[in-house]
Amino acid sequence: MANIIDGKAIAKQIRTRLTDEAAQLLAQGVTPTLATVLVGDNSESATYVRMKHRACTKMGLGIVDKRLDNTATQADLEAVVQALNDDPAVHGILVQMPLLAGMDEDRIIDLIAPEKDVDGFGAINMGLLAQRGRTPHFLPATPAGIMLLLAETGVALRGKEAVVVGRSNIVGMPVALLLKEADATVTITHSHTADVASHLRRADIVVVAAGQPELVTGDMLKPGCIVIDVGVNYVDDPAAPKGYRIVGDVEWGSAVSVAGFITPVPGGVGPMTITMLIENVLMAAGR
Ligand code: NDP
């Protein structure tokens, strides 16, 4: 039976430390401040922004809350981002995706000043992450959280076989780069990989970020491996109080008896993400 990696408890510990760090900055007259930009009326995006605001407020950080409605243009959004870049009271900028249809997301992400790009998604920060010996201004929050969860297992990553399922810019690709920097040997699989399971079966470390409910099952895993399940999927379940339940990209029931360590969903990677975002804002304010 696998050891459960308790992301909720780990995130709570980190947040205690971050609350102290925020208090120290406040005592020095600096209010670490995150600016969020929400475009349109996507209710899921609004929920994510609200969660980030709540966490910031709870830990003593300041918030600048920018909202643009459905009539906003690319130029309107660029003007808002540029003004935040120029505002010395703003330490971190986060533009909540997705934007409106027709808007150029890459252009917006790259417009955020690299030293305020607390999501770490801009081409400068990603490029610095990809290059050997270079240090990005910020690590993207979810991949950084995953690396901390792996560290909590106490298992050395050097020389291990790591397989990442998914190659998105926000999770799969950056986590693969971080695993490579930790001296693991990394394979990235995606929707065109002929046989994902054949790669998984030799992996000591498995990170699944595919957005496919219960894609990875226990029979695909090497006994004793570490499984980090990033997926958050809502599946219909008439028996559940809300009519749905949340499952990961890994089938918990079969994986938990094969893996050595595993993250639950919810309560694994999720709680780490906002925590790491706040760490980035504090780092920006500290600089
Ligand atoms: P994307 O949809 O951007 O990327 C999914 C990736 O998985 C793609 O690279 C895709 O391949 C690959 N993929 C899809 N199906 C398969 C398959 N059958 N076999 C192998 N690879 C496959 O998703 P994200 O990276 O943004 O998110 C992934 C999951 O993580 C989602 O469930 C999301 O909700 C969750 N998430 C959770 C976070 C948290 O804090 N807990 C934060 C961010 C995401 P291809 O490139 O070929 O299309």
Side-chain angles (χ1 to χ4, degrees):
M1 194 75 170
N3 295 291
I4 313 295
I5 308 173
D6 186 347
K8 214 169 157 185
I10 297 164
K12 200 172 164 202
Q13 278 173 17
I14 299 171
R15 285 187 192 202
T16 305
R17 169 174 62 80
L18 296 180
T19 304
D20 288 347
E21 284 180 28
Q24 282 171 26
L25 285 163
L26 285 162
Q28 292 164 25
V30 178
T31 305
T33 299
L34 172 69
T36 58
V37 184
L38 179 62
V39 189
D41 53 13
N42 181 325
S43 64
E44 214 169 297
S45 295
T47 303
Y48 287 136
V49 167
R50 199 166 43 243
M51 284 163 66
K52 289 164 189 169
H53 285 180
R54 200 181 299 147
C56 284
T57 309
K58 216 171 156 188
M59 295 166 73
L61 280 71
I63 292 162
V64 173
D65 183 5
K66 296 283 182 194
R67 287 169 193 247
L68 285 83
D69 67 20
N70 279 327
T71 64
T73 63
Q74 175 87 15
D76 296 334
L77 179 55
E78 287 182 14
V80 167
V81 172
Q82 194 54 59
L84 294 171
N85 279 343
D86 295 338
D87 183 347
V90 168
H91 303 104
I93 302 170
L94 182 152
V95 179
Q96 186 66 45
M97 299 295 162
L99 303 177
L100 299 176
M103 283 184 166
D104 184 340
E105 292 189 353
D106 291 341
R107 200 178 144 94
I108 295 298
I109 292 170
D110 286 344
L111 185 63
I112 300 170
E115 62 278 8
K116 293 191 180 187
D117 173 25
V118 284
D119 261 339
F121 295 155
I124 300 268
N125 276 316
M126 279 294 168
L128 291 170
L129 180 62
Q131 290 181 355
R132 287 284 284 149
R134 306 288 299 274
T135 309
H137 298 274
F138 305 101
L139 295 178
T142 302
I146 291 169
M147 296 308 286
L148 282 185
L149 293 177
L150 287 171
E152 284 288 326
T153 65
V155 174
L157 303 183
R158 174 165 289 173
K160 296 285 177 5
E161 288 284 339
V163 171
V164 179
V165 183
R167 57 176 168 182
S168 73
N169 285 341
I170 65 167
V171 189
M173 188 267 293
V175 86
L177 292 171
L178 287 169
L179 287 163
K180 181 261 292 172
E181 274 311 290
D183 296 332
T185 303
V186 185
T187 302
I188 303 175
T189 65
H190 45 73
S191 69
H192 299 285
T193 301
D195 182 0
V196 174
S198 68
H199 297 279
L200 291 173
R201 281 193 192 101
R202 56 176 173 68
D204 306 300
I205 298 145
V206 170
V207 179
V208 193
Q212 302 292 325
E214 300 178 326
L215 173 74
V216 172
T217 49
D219 60 311
M220 301 177 186
L221 299 170
K222 177 174 169 180
C225 70
I226 306 176
V227 177
I228 305 289
D229 186 356
V230 189
V232 180
N233 307 287
Y234 296 83
V235 295
D236 291 339
D237 182 354
K242 290 184 177 168
Y244 67 84
R245 64 198 162 85
I246 297 174
V247 300
D249 288 354
V250 177
E251 190 189 62
W252 176 264
S254 59
V256 75
S257 53
V258 181
F261 293 89
I262 189 167
T263 58
V265 176
V269 174
M272 297 297 286
T273 296
I274 292 183
T275 306
M276 302 317 292
L277 171 71
I278 289 176
E279 176 156 63
N280 281 347
V281 177
L282 293 176
M283 209 189 288
R287 286 174 189 152

